[in-house]
Amino acid sequence: MATDYFGVLGLARDASDADIKRAYRRLARDLHPDVNPDPEAKERFQEVTRAYEALTDPEKRRIVDLGGDPFDTGNGAGGGFGGAGFGGLGDIMDAFFGGATTRGPRSRTRAGRDALIPIELDLDEAVFGTVKELTVDTAVLCDQCAGAGTAPGTHVSTCSTCSGRGEVQSVQRSFLGQVVSSRTCPTCSGTGQVIPQPCPKCSGDGRVRSRRTISVKVPAGVEDGMRIRLSGQGEVGPGGGPAGDLYVEIHERPHDVFTRDGEDLHCRVTLPMTSAALGTTLNLTTLDGEEELDVAAGTQSGSRITLRAHGVPRLRGTGRGDLVVHVDVVTPTRLDAEQEKLMRELAALRGEDQPQSNRDAQGGLFSRVRDAFHGR
Ligand SMILES: [Zn+2]
Ligand SMILES: [Zn+2]
């Protein structure tokens, strides 16, 4: 449904162009965010500005007169400012107030950017934490001028092009009458200041590039892709502005023995068939040192043995994940005559010397193959 833009401005449908202009000016003076900090006023200000634009922009006004809504894009997203006709709110305000609401010169100093440095860690460094020395190459404050950008004994001076306002104005005639528009001063880039004699070390930028070494404490339990934030260690900004942050991004090198799944570690061991059948004790190298691992008699290939709290410490919280040992049982591939004889005797004792079938008791091979086919 089309908005009643006349109503928004408190006007009747037969209001003249002069009425519209007067009503908008009156409302804008009360509601403009520079004057009225109330968030509701801001919303109302946008509403009346939109109404003003709808009723004064010839193309939009044509749509309003036809009973439509020039800001209704059909997807409920509304229109927005800065569309055809006007260059946005700033232009409208400038049109009325002749730059009276300008923001003044912008600061010569601006905040610096964040910096990102990747580091590579071995698994045990990620698990137990470490301290890393990093070489960082960023912009730092110029020590010669302390960020001021001026040569020793000199000072910044007021820009003569804009008299320190940071912008220059021009006057044009348009359908609204006389329009004063302002643009950023080209001499001082809007800062209102110039540096007659720049600092020789930083050429007036207030910062220089520098290589330095910092140590980074990596907490126990970090993971690939995580970032450690070092506040204020990033780039110093133009004009010696406050430094951004430095982010150290963790890249974990793959380990020969262990793979990581969050807070758990996994490894594989191979066991001879006889050890798996009889049970044994394994000497297992963990990140914490040698451990004895009991393997129960009758352990199957593919089974897992869990060592509690031998994984990765929890970065948030307490305790550690587990170390999961995956067991592969190896079938002997070459038997000498005596071993083969013993094996046959064992098979006979176990009644396993007959040909096997896929219709054996326990479902056996056939049902397992069928389940595998159907993803069960
Ligand atoms: Zn200037
Ligand atoms: Zn300097």
Side-chain angles (χ1 to χ4, degrees):
M1 196 188 129
T3 309
D4 175 13
Y5 289 114
F6 289 98
V8 170
L9 293 175
L11 294 168
R13 291 227 159 234
D14 57 359
S16 69
D17 285 356
D19 293 337
I20 293 165
K21 197 167 165 180
R22 203 175 308 119
Y24 175 62
R25 192 191 298 233
R26 187 173 41 76
L27 289 164
R29 285 205 195 275
D30 289 340
L31 299 168
H32 190 274
D34 284 356
V35 184
N36 193 334
D38 186 0
E40 253 176 56
K42 186 182 170 197
E43 218 165 274
R44 177 94 177 100
F45 175 70
Q46 287 173 348
E47 230 173 73
V48 300
T49 303
R50 186 185 288 218
Y52 175 74
E53 193 178 335
L55 297 178
T56 53
D57 180 77
E59 189 56 32
K60 293 191 174 70
R61 177 61 187 265
R62 203 178 53 80
I63 297 171
V64 172
D65 289 344
L66 290 170
D69 188 335
F71 292 109
D72 186 2
T73 55
N75 57 10
F81 304 110
F86 278 103
L89 219 56
D91 279 6
I92 294 183
M93 294 315 293
D94 286 349
F96 276 120
F97 303 116
T101 60
T102 49
R103 303 130 299 261
R106 75 167 69 116
S107 172
R108 222 167 43 75
T109 327
R110 266 170 293 146
R113 282 182 313 189
D114 295 337
L116 178 71
I117 296 188
I119 57 167
E120 292 222 323
L121 293 183
D122 288 327
L123 180 63
D124 58 333
E125 293 177 310
V127 168
F128 297 116
T130 183
V131 174
K132 284 276 179 192
E133 299 286 308
L134 288 187
T135 304
V136 184
D137 189 341
T138 61
V140 298
L141 201 66
C142 173
D143 56 2
Q144 188 129 1
C145 63
T150 48
T154 71
H155 298 281
V156 296
S157 57
T158 303
C159 173
S160 57
T161 308
C162 64
S163 310
R165 281 194 307 271
E167 51 185 30
V168 287
Q169 297 179 337
S170 56
V171 180
Q172 290 159 315
R173 297 204 62 79
S174 81
F175 70 94
L176 280 171
Q178 186 164 292
V179 174
V180 182
S181 65
S182 22
R183 62 194 172 94
T184 302
C185 171
T187 308
C188 62
S189 309
T191 64
Q193 295 177 336
V194 288
I195 297 175
Q197 284 171 272
C199 165
K201 187 166 179 185
C202 65
S203 311
D205 195 28
R207 53 183 187 161
V208 287
R209 290 212 78 80
S210 158
R211 191 175 275 260
R212 65 194 195 278
T213 305
I214 56 172
S215 23
V216 183
K217 191 176 179 311
V218 179
V222 293
E223 206 168 340
D224 197 73
M226 281 183 177
R227 290 176 176 184
I228 299 168
R229 189 174 75 131
L230 301 176
S231 179
Q233 299 271 17
E235 304 266 350
V236 162
D245 297 331
L246 175 66
Y247 288 89
V248 177
E249 189 173 85
I250 307 293
H251 293 263
E252 202 178 284
R253 290 193 195 98
H255 192 272
D256 290 343
V257 175
F258 302 106
T259 54
R260 180 171 175 179
D261 178 19
E263 61 194 32
D264 292 335
L265 296 175
H266 294 260
C267 71
R268 306 197 81 85
V269 294
T270 52
L271 278 186
M273 186 184 70
T274 46
S275 308
L278 300 171
T280 185
T281 301
L282 266 179
N283 286 321
L284 192 73
T285 306
T286 72
L287 291 177
D288 301 83
E290 297 287 319
E291 296 274 342
E292 290 199 337
L293 182 66
D294 287 328
V295 178
T299 292
Q300 303 293 315
S301 196
S303 59
R304 302 147 65 111
I305 306 170
T306 300
L307 267 88
R308 299 260 167 242
H310 279 66
V312 183
R314 296 184 181 99
L315 197 58
R316 295 175 193 84
T318 53
R320 295 172 64 174
D322 299 330
L323 171 58
V324 182
V325 181
H326 299 254
V327 179
D328 289 328
V329 176
V330 180
T331 307
T333 50
R334 227 166 273 161
L335 299 173
D336 66 21
E338 192 181 356
Q339 289 166 354
E340 190 183 335
K341 181 167 162 283
L342 281 170
M343 202 70 93
R344 287 194 188 287
E345 282 174 25
L346 178 64
L349 278 173
R350 293 180 56 82
E352 292 167 354
D353 53 350
Q354 302 303 312
Q356 304 292 302
S357 151
N358 62 358
R359 279 188 299 275
D360 276 352
Q362 298 145 5
L365 181 65
F366 182 70
S367 66
R368 279 204 301 279
V369 168
R370 185 195 58 205
D371 286 352
F373 259 97
H374 294 285
R376 266 172 271 183

